[in-house]
Amino acid sequence: MQGTLYLCATPIGNLEDITLRVLRTLKEVDLIAAEDTRNSIKLLNHFQISTPMTSYHEHNKIEKAYQLAEKLQQGQNIALITDAGTPGISDPGEDLVRICQESGIPVTSLPGAAACITGLTISGLPTRRFTFEGFLPREKKERALVLSSLGQETRTIVLYEAPHHLKKTLEELHHALGDRKLALCRELTKKYETVFTTTISGAVSCYSTQEPRGEYVLVIQGKEQQEIRKEQQESWENVPLKEHMAQYEKQGIERKEAMKMVAKDRGIPKREVYRQLLERV
């Protein structure tokens, strides 16, 4: 009988945020795979858990994943934990899960703390629709592509950033997204938890005179639909109205309906489209 891989969420700061289910599971499994055993031993010692540990991190994630999968196939139960938060979110856990799923090994998640959700919910920004990007890519071209796509993102954006990269990231965000509302969340769930609500430009200015400290969750306002419509309308200004009409009529759209669509595209009344077309006859 195969074992099960348990994805166990650990506290992101306050140790009281660990669940009873996670504590029981960490005690009962045969092995705990930890991102950093030196960090995780502190957590295990605090809760008097003596289950054996092995390291599973970014630099051994593929080779070690197959080793762990073999143990699971032999019937061992394994818990996966990260340094803080939910395994598989901005850490190599996703690779282990994929390999287990491909091998038909049962995988289950034990919910708990996640910095992205914690930051989002206390940011004061809309939570109904959001996109989580984790850490921005370090590779220059890929990073530029991601930043460009975020410039058009209408959902609330959630990012992670380390203190030594924060200033540069804020400057790049300001260039790519313009000025938007921003919540900088740090020391989440800890004694000195702070949520700095400002704008991207305000954050750039703030950290030009002080050094960032701690790991950050950045929650950024999405692009407003009104701004998108304005840009779309402006993009049609250099297209002759007759040519604009022709684009729709070539698609088989009736003239009356095409006029409505042109008026909407340009943000002008339908009668104004009609008037301009008459003038050009």
Side-chain angles (χ1 to χ4, degrees):
M1 184 177 178
Q2 292 189 116
T4 298
L5 176 67
Y6 296 90
L7 308 179
C8 295
T10 55
I12 59 176
N14 193 316
L15 293 181
E16 292 180 357
D17 289 336
I18 199 165
T19 70
L20 294 174
R21 185 181 174 205
V22 167
L23 289 175
R24 176 179 57 78
T25 300
L26 292 178
K27 292 175 181 177
E28 293 179 352
V29 293
D30 300 292
L31 183 67
I32 297 172
E35 186 176 7
D36 188 336
T37 56
R38 296 166 301 178
N39 180 68
S40 296
I41 193 64
K42 300 172 187 176
L43 176 72
L44 299 189
N45 286 342
H46 180 83
F47 290 106
Q48 299 179 330
I49 298 171
S50 57
T51 305
M53 272 197 301
T54 187
S55 63
Y56 178 73
H57 48 71
E58 184 65 29
H59 303 294
N60 70 355
K61 63 181 181 180
I62 301 301
E63 180 184 359
K64 193 61 173 284
Y66 283 107
Q67 293 175 15
L68 293 172
E70 186 176 347
K71 291 180 183 296
L72 287 158
Q73 288 171 327
Q74 292 170 356
Q76 291 191 38
N77 291 314
I78 299 176
L80 177 66
I81 60 175
T82 182
D83 285 347
T86 300
I89 303 296
S90 293
D91 70 45
E94 63 178 300
D95 295 287
L96 177 57
V97 171
R98 173 179 53 79
I99 288 168
C100 286
Q101 295 285 13
E102 290 171 354
S103 303
I105 297 167
V107 179
T108 188
S109 179
L110 282 60
C116 54
I117 298 300
T118 304
L120 173 66
T121 54
I122 63 175
S123 69
L125 290 168
T127 61
R128 188 179 71 83
R129 299 174 65 248
F130 67 93
T131 181
F132 173 64
E133 281 291 338
F135 290 95
L136 291 173
R138 294 297 169 211
E139 197 278 319
K140 193 173 182 180
K141 287 185 179 178
E142 186 182 0
R143 188 180 180 92
L145 286 172
V146 171
L147 284 166
S148 177
S149 68
L150 291 179
Q152 299 303 313
E153 180 58 68
T154 59
R155 295 168 293 181
T156 300
I157 301 164
V158 184
L159 303 175
Y160 288 161
E161 193 52 278
H164 52 287
H165 290 304
L166 183 67
K167 290 183 180 181
K168 179 184 177 184
T169 296
L170 287 171
E171 290 169 358
E172 291 176 324
L173 287 169
H174 193 215
H175 177 74
L177 279 64
D179 209 14
R180 301 190 193 176
K181 292 180 182 178
L182 165 70
L184 287 148
C185 309
R186 59 180 292 275
E187 297 294 290
L188 289 173
T189 76
K190 299 178 184 178
K191 183 177 180 180
Y192 297 107
E193 173 182 281
T194 59
V195 180
F196 176 30
T197 55
T198 180
T199 59
I200 298 178
S201 65
V204 169
S205 176
C206 173
Y207 288 106
S208 66
T209 58
Q210 69 179 64
E211 286 302 314
R213 293 183 179 179
E215 300 295 320
Y216 287 81
V217 177
L218 283 67
V219 187
I220 308 165
Q221 178 187 29
K223 191 169 188 175
E224 295 184 350
Q225 290 291 346
Q226 184 177 353
E227 185 180 352
I228 292 174
R229 285 195 295 271
K230 183 180 178 182
E231 289 178 355
Q232 290 172 340
Q233 290 167 4
E234 289 175 350
S235 70
W236 285 110
E237 288 180 359
N238 295 324
V239 178
L241 193 141
K242 189 174 181 181
E243 183 181 323
H244 193 167
M245 278 286 295
Q247 289 184 28
Y248 286 123
E249 291 180 315
K250 285 177 183 177
Q251 298 174 38
I253 298 171
E254 293 184 2
R255 188 170 181 80
K256 189 175 180 181
E257 184 62 27
M259 289 172 64
K260 287 182 182 178
M261 296 171 74
V262 168
K264 185 178 179 181
D265 287 345
R266 291 176 176 256
I268 59 177
K270 180 184 165 186
R271 62 177 178 275
E272 178 63 19
V273 175
Y274 183 71
R275 185 187 66 77
Q276 290 188 38
L277 287 173
L278 285 177
E279 288 179 353
R280 288 166 173 75
V281 172

